[in-house]
Amino acid sequence: MDVNAAVAAAAAIAGVLTGVIAMLAFRWSEREQKRPTRTSLHTDPVLPPGVDTVLSVLRSSAVVLDEADAVVKASSAAYALGLVRGGKLSVEPMLQMARDTRRDGEIRQVELDLPRRGTGRGEALAVSARVAPLGSRLVLLLVEDLTEARRIEAVRRDFVANVSHELKTPVGALSLLSEAVMDASEDPEAVERFAGRMQIEATRLTNLVQELIDLSRVQNDDPLEDAEPVRVDELVAEAVDRCRHQAGTKQITMAAGGAADLRIWGNRGQLAAALGNLVENAVNYSPARTRVGIAARRVNAPGGDLIEIAVTDQGIGISDKDKERIFERFYRVDPARSRQTGGTGLGLAIVKHVAASHGGEVTVWSSEGQGSTFTLRLPEAGAARDRAHQHPDVDGLDDETGEADPSSPSPQPTASYEPLPSPEVLP
């Protein structure tokens, strides 16, 4: 009896000890599973609280690297620029900067030129890279794309240089002519001749300043703020009257015609300036005893009816290589002829901006030695405001610089234009 009790007591004690040992082993196992290992620290890093949210709203491309140079976090812009490939930072200079910053904790910044991905063009991508430590193990890389800013700055420098050159020419001529007048004060014929030249240069200078003012105005103003229905025949009459003297001097016949009672919704002053520039160019670049025609018509379009105003001349024409650039500021097909006619190279740039700000476009057809046709295509009154807001960048020019924008589709040139119906010959 005593032996059986002793056996039962020993078995109970053994069961209790086994249960205690099992519980201790289970808890030890749980602690081991929760304890971070060297491998887990390397493969599963955690961003500090709030960093992920901040990186998502940054305009710069952001990349976070761990202690093994693996990418922990990268913004979509970083992938778009080609900074991250296969989970690694693909730009070696930036990777070296990150390693140096991880080693000494110093913030570093550098500007680099990177090749563009998949474009096949020789243009470099200008970026500014800044590397800073993020916590004890991570490194933050911020990359800013400076390509567009550099391009705009270069174009602005060219624009300032062009303006300076254009202003310097007539101002220098006036200075020299004034000295010549003083030296020839005893010669009435010479004084009269030099005074006539001074008047020509003063007129050229006045025209240049005025066109610079006009270009600045059409770029910065919203023409639809003071818009009104504008009769096309009144615009044509005003443009013809503006060029009547030049046309009469060269015995150029001016003919106006087309559909009647057409209206455009827009700024009357800007529309008159744009059409006037087209007619003036047609007269200036046409030989004597030729014909300049102006015709207007209504055409159907998916977004609403359009008004087309075509200005056709029998002048020297424009080559294919020049047609791509004639709407750029200060670009002249024939610089020598432009000096003779007093052209500044800004007239067509103004036309382009006016057409774009009114929701339209201007196209050109030309053949060397046969003449040119410039077609100003604008929405008819009533649909103009909607179209202008739907197509704010139809001019194909950069909004900041006014130069050709490669990302904008080029308008198709108008190959021909219908004959003038019932032309009205204007003396």
Side-chain angles (χ1 to χ4, degrees):
M1 187 69 180
D2 293 337
V3 174
N4 292 335
V7 172
I13 293 172
V16 170
L17 291 175
T18 301
V20 171
I21 292 173
M23 182 179 298
L24 291 176
F26 177 75
R27 294 199 174 178
W28 178 83
S29 176
E30 281 188 334
R31 284 198 302 270
E32 286 298 315
Q33 290 178 1
K34 292 180 179 179
R35 179 181 300 173
T37 62
R38 183 182 301 273
T39 303
S40 65
L41 286 174
H42 171 68
T43 60
D44 190 22
V46 179
L47 291 175
V51 172
D52 194 7
T53 303
V54 173
L55 296 182
S56 65
V57 299
L58 287 177
R59 297 182 61 182
S60 305
S61 302
V63 181
V64 179
L65 303 176
D66 64 9
E67 54 193 4
D69 294 332
V71 175
V72 177
K73 175 74 176 179
S75 64
S76 57
Y79 286 99
L81 290 179
L83 304 179
V84 178
R85 299 179 188 174
K88 294 287 185 180
L89 186 62
S90 61
V91 183
E92 184 60 33
M94 296 182 187
L95 188 58
Q96 186 59 47
M97 287 174 57
R99 291 168 179 167
D100 295 340
T101 296
R102 186 184 301 109
R103 183 181 65 253
D104 56 25
E106 294 290 332
I107 298 176
R108 290 174 169 81
Q109 183 168 352
V110 67
E111 292 189 1
L112 301 170
D113 291 332
L114 307 178
R116 290 181 181 268
R117 293 183 59 190
T119 60
R121 299 188 297 181
E123 302 176 3
L125 190 70
V127 299
S128 173
R130 185 177 179 87
V131 180
L134 185 64
S136 59
R137 297 181 295 107
L138 303 179
V139 174
L140 172 62
L141 171 67
L142 296 178
V143 179
E144 189 77 22
D145 187 357
L146 304 178
T147 308
E148 185 66 13
R150 285 190 179 181
R151 185 185 72 84
I152 292 175
E153 182 61 29
V155 172
R156 285 178 175 172
R157 285 198 303 268
D158 292 342
F159 179 72
V160 172
N162 286 331
V163 170
S164 302
H165 174 74
E166 295 294 336
L167 290 174
K168 182 179 178 181
T169 301
V171 170
L174 286 172
S175 177
L176 293 175
L177 288 170
S178 64
E179 293 179 3
V181 168
M182 294 178 64
D183 293 339
S185 58
E186 303 297 332
D187 187 352
E189 292 184 0
V191 169
E192 184 178 358
R193 183 173 66 256
F194 291 142
R197 289 294 309 276
M198 291 178 67
Q199 188 175 16
I200 293 174
E201 296 298 333
T203 301
R204 179 177 300 171
L205 181 60
T206 301
N207 292 339
L208 175 59
V209 172
Q210 184 59 50
E211 290 199 348
L212 285 171
I213 294 173
D214 293 341
L215 182 60
S216 176
R217 182 179 296 117
V218 300
Q219 287 182 189
N220 297 328
D221 293 349
D222 181 3
L224 299 183
E225 287 184 357
D226 301 320
E228 59 178 330
V230 181
R231 291 178 58 91
V232 174
D233 54 359
E234 293 178 358
L235 294 177
V236 172
E238 186 173 338
V240 169
D241 187 64
R242 168 178 167 178
C243 305
R244 192 182 302 276
H245 176 71
Q246 297 97 309
T249 302
K250 299 173 68 174
Q251 299 181 7
I252 292 177
T253 301
M254 302 184 70
D261 198 28
L262 300 178
R263 287 178 171 81
I264 301 171
W265 183 269
N267 185 293
R268 180 184 179 85
Q270 292 189 14
L271 293 172
L275 184 58
N277 286 345
L278 292 180
V279 177
E280 187 174 7
N281 279 355
V283 172
N284 288 336
Y285 289 92
S286 293
R289 293 178 293 278
T290 55
R291 184 172 181 267
V292 171
I294 310 167
R297 66 175 181 175
R298 179 188 292 108
V299 295
N300 296 326
D305 289 347
L306 299 175
I307 303 299
E308 285 189 352
I309 308 174
V311 179
T312 304
D313 63 60
Q314 298 172 328
I316 59 176
I318 306 170
S319 65
D320 291 337
K321 66 180 183 65
D322 289 321
K323 276 189 280 190
E324 299 179 358
R325 301 191 58 191
I326 57 174
F327 294 103
E328 295 180 12
R329 301 167 181 168
F330 295 112
Y331 185 80
R332 298 182 178 94
V333 175
D334 186 351
R337 189 178 183 91
S338 294
R339 285 193 293 270
Q340 296 174 2
T341 60
T344 63
L346 292 174
L348 291 179
I350 293 174
V351 174
K352 196 80 170 181
H353 279 286
V354 170
S357 62
H358 284 76
E361 64 177 355
V362 58
T363 58
V364 58
W365 171 90
S366 186
S367 178
E368 290 187 272
Q370 299 183 21
S372 306
T373 296
F374 284 85
T375 303
L376 188 61
R377 190 175 293 109
L378 298 166
E380 188 174 15
R385 183 179 297 273
D386 295 336
R387 185 179 178 86
H389 289 298
Q390 291 173 2
H391 304 282
D393 192 29
V394 295
D395 62 339
L397 297 183
D398 185 272
D399 292 334
E400 292 287 337
T401 66
E403 306 303 328
D405 185 355
S407 64
S408 299
S410 301
Q412 297 298 320
T414 303
S416 62
Y417 201 80
E418 293 181 354
L420 300 175
S422 304
E424 174 189 356
V425 178
L426 302 174

